[in-house]
Amino acid sequence: MSTQGYAELQDHAAELESERGYIAGLYGRLDAERARVGHRYKSVLRGSGQTLVERDAEVRALARQMARLDVADSGLCFGRLDSLSGDRLYIGRIGLLDEENDYDTLLLDWRAPAARAFYVATGASPENMRRRRQFHTRGRMVLDFTDETLGRPSDGERGGSGDAALLAAVNAPRGDGMRDIVATIQTEQDEIIRLDHQGVLVIEGGPGTGKTVVALHRVAYLLYTQRQRIEHHGVLVIGPNPAFLNHVGRVLPSLGESNVVFMTVGDLVPGLRVTAEDPPEAARLKGSLKMLEVLDAAIADRQRVPENPIPIELTDAAVRIDAETAEWAIQEARASKQPHNDARAVFTDVITWVLTERAIAKIGRGWLTREDRAAWEHLRAELVDELGDHAGFAAALDELWPKLTPETLLSELYSSHDRLRAAGADPALFRAQGESWTVSDVPLLDELVDLLGRDTTADQAAERERRAEAEFAEGVLELMVSREDLMEDEDQLLATDMLYAEDLADRFTERDNRELDERAASDRDWTYRHIVVDEAQELSEMDWRVLMRRCPSRSFTVVGDLAQRRSAAGATSWDTMLQPYVPGRWIYRPLSMNYRTPAEIMRVAGALLAEFAPGVRPPDSVRATGVQPWSREVGEHEVATAINEFIAEEAAREGTSIVIGPPGAPGTVAPAEAKGLEFDAVLVVEPERILADGPRGAAELYVALTRATQRLGVLHRGPLPGALSGLSAR
């Protein structure tokens, strides 16, 4: 080694020790802050003179603060910026201040405006910086660092060291869930994450472009910059399936953010269980806005006039509900513009008025005139009371204007050819088991909540119970005050009693001790301040109506790829879906670089894409692995053995793997179940059958091929599809 090389090595070692000392100091500051918050948390739990409501609020706030401090432990500081003026900025997961030195910044939160240069500075555009340093860490230990000199153009804009950090991250074996990219955010990603837009942001990108993780980092950024507006109502993340939500669910907690609710579209109606799947045509019909007309007509069909007059036998008179009376009552009830169940009161009032008028005329014939208003109204009141307890009258109301639940109306609609015909619905919606709910039913059931109104019986009972409990607590307080007047010499006893009474009263004030995600998930009327929609190309027009109701401010991050659409009811263009709800308030940002799929695999997937979506350009892979994807022809009885061989081979390697095949194929998962996920190795079984599975089979196969980050194999029984001719035969 030359003298110069040895000197450089020594300088690097000395600098590394210096950085280790600084970052060790950051961890010391983190530990001190964690201890301070933990001590306060325990103190508040023991009680510190606050009311229970105040105590509960502070406990929650401190718990969130402790969670943010805990997740910062791994990779606390991952970079440094050196400015042209000589200032140094250390960049990390959270911000830390030096309380002993005028609150100087020891560590800058990656979301702070001053940290932006760490992600966007290039040789050609250095953002007033001269160097970017990236730390390589394991736990709390700094293993090494790499420097990138700014202020001069370099290959690939970011330069060699920046690319090295990125490639190390994308080449690393996959674990059980998606990782955050806080240390390796790229320029095009950072611009989207920090975008100042209050409406709907559409992020579109092909497989591996990082659109999902960018959207999640954008949520973390919004919570940092707009915490007061967003935090108490939370953020909703919609994903395609539970496996996907489990895969991405760690990203935001790893960034210190917890007030986030994860759901599929099937979870949007609390308490509903999705147990079936619609055929494509039924899904297409249910997803169309034309279903609004069907629902209106289905409700109107339940608002009926009697075919024959319905007799109502009262004590002193017999009256009838005829078609003319019912028709009048229906028109008045509809004119009220109230939901169906609420408008039943108007319908009932009209029917009641007509029947009592007729009964009074019969009972009072010969002695009662309208001028005798007091007697007339007295008799009416008696008749109204009698009708209120009349079983026949109640049965008639239920027949002509029944109370309906969304589930009852929709299940009876689906299972009746006559009701479907009366509602003007397509016969393809018929199913024998009306309550075998599908994902496509969820937005319809949600719509019906507003169209029908709610049955408030349970709510009223709960409110009566709450008031009774509150009155009891109030009585305890009054008793304590009375005892204080009578027993002034028993101060200690009274103090204890008064504390008990105040706590008891506090306990019955209106508050919910559940965490935000629990409260939001169980409340159909909960509204969020921001919603992330992943795999958004699969959502129907009716799905979007549900989500718009959940976010009145219309603040969305929409993530998708139109080329991967499989749903017959999904989006063919973003404008078609969004313009009706947010005209002029949505913007589009594409992602073009593929960080997941190596070039060798993307060449094969790109050939397939060119066949079914010739106008779509596949994303450019940032790396090649030198490992060629392969294919192997197998016989019918060899498939299971070949799958087992793949599983055994991958079990000996570090990382994750999956076998994807046609829906229902033994030992495989369907492409739809793998959407949004990534694995080190993927085996695709019988691609020819996936292609043949419905009109979107090519998109399904495209999804399957692009899940791999390292290795891809294909087993085929029939002829290998022509688009996959780029595979190496094994």
Side-chain angles (χ1 to χ4, degrees), residues 77-82 89-93 108-122 125-129 131-136 146-148 150 158 161-162 165-166 181-187 190 194:
C77 176
F78 49 78
R80 190 184 98 184
L81 278 173
D82 295 357
L89 291 174
Y90 285 84
I91 315 296
R93 292 179 173 275
L108 190 65
D109 192 298
W110 68 274
R111 296 166 288 190
R116 183 174 180 272
F118 184 78
Y119 300 108
V120 303
T122 66
S125 180
E127 302 282 326
N128 294 318
M129 298 295 164
R131 179 167 56 189
R132 172 175 35 233
R133 174 168 290 178
Q134 292 179 304
F135 297 113
H136 313 301
T146 53
D147 283 344
E148 181 181 357
L150 302 170
R158 280 290 291 262
S161 62
L166 171 64
I181 59 169
V182 64
T184 58
I185 295 170
Q186 300 300 290
T187 301
D190 188 78
R194 297 175 192 267

Side-chain angles (χ1 to χ4, degrees), residues 181 189 192-193 203 210-219 591:
I181 59 169
Q189 297 173 329
I192 293 173
I193 290 169
I203 306 172
K211 51 189 180 292
T212 296
V213 75
V214 166
L216 295 175
H217 281 68
R218 176 166 169 77
V219 169
L591 288 170

Side-chain angles (χ1 to χ4, degrees), residues 218-236:
R218 176 166 169 77
V219 169
Y221 177 76
L222 291 175
L223 283 166
Y224 177 80
T225 57
Q226 304 176 35
R227 189 170 302 280
Q228 189 170 7
R229 182 182 75 85
I230 295 176
E231 189 171 50
H232 295 299
H233 280 254
V235 174
L236 173 64

Side-chain angles (χ1 to χ4, degrees), residues 428-443:
L429 294 180
F430 176 82
R431 67 182 183 221
Q433 299 295 324
E435 292 192 350
S436 297
W437 302 119
T438 69
V439 171
S440 301
D441 292 326
V442 171

Side-chain angles (χ1 to χ4, degrees), residues 413-583:
L413 174 68
Y414 288 152
S415 58
S416 168
H417 289 292
D418 291 339
R419 292 198 189 281
L420 286 170
R421 187 164 44 252
D426 193 296
L429 294 180
F430 176 82
R431 67 182 183 221
Q433 299 295 324
E435 292 192 350
S436 297
W437 302 119
T438 69
V439 171
S440 301
D441 292 326
V442 171
L444 306 182
L445 292 167
D446 191 75
E447 192 78 33
L448 285 168
V449 173
D450 288 342
L451 293 175
L452 296 176
R454 294 168 176 76
D455 181 358
T456 60
T457 305
D459 293 341
Q460 291 170 351
E463 176 63 14
R464 285 194 296 271
E465 182 179 354
R466 190 197 67 77
R467 287 180 179 174
E469 290 171 338
E471 288 172 3
F472 169 72
E474 229 176 90
V476 172
L477 278 174
E478 290 177 1
L479 177 62
M480 293 301 103
V481 171
S482 299
R483 289 182 62 190
E484 185 175 19
D485 292 338
L486 295 171
M487 303 169 63
E488 293 180 357
D489 56 333
E490 298 184 19
D491 292 339
Q492 182 59 45
L493 175 63
L494 284 171
T496 304
D497 288 346
M498 285 299 291
L499 283 172
Y500 161 75
E502 288 171 2
D503 277 356
L504 183 65
D506 231 357
R507 194 175 305 147
F508 294 119
T509 58
E510 283 193 40
R511 84 181 189 280
D512 193 332
N513 288 319
R514 294 174 298 171
E515 294 299 327
L516 182 141
D517 58 341
E518 294 179 87
R519 289 181 285 137
S522 64
D523 184 355
R524 182 261 174 186
D525 294 320
W526 189 277
T527 58
Y528 300 87
R529 290 296 184 261
H530 190 77
I531 295 181
V532 175
V533 186
D534 210 318
E535 300 293 343
Q537 72 276 357
E538 307 298 346
L539 269 62
S540 69
E541 294 174 317
M542 290 299 297
D543 291 331
W544 280 109
R545 280 181 65 86
V546 181
L547 295 178
M548 291 296 169
R549 276 195 288 271
R550 300 296 193 274
C551 187
S553 65
R554 303 291 196 264
S555 178
F556 283 77
T557 299
V558 176
V559 180
D561 179 11
L562 295 178
Q564 295 187 57
R565 177 178 66 87
R566 66 180 293 268
S567 170
T572 55
S573 79
W574 300 118
D575 186 75
T576 300
M577 284 298 185
L578 298 174
Q579 195 65 14
Y581 302 107
V582 284

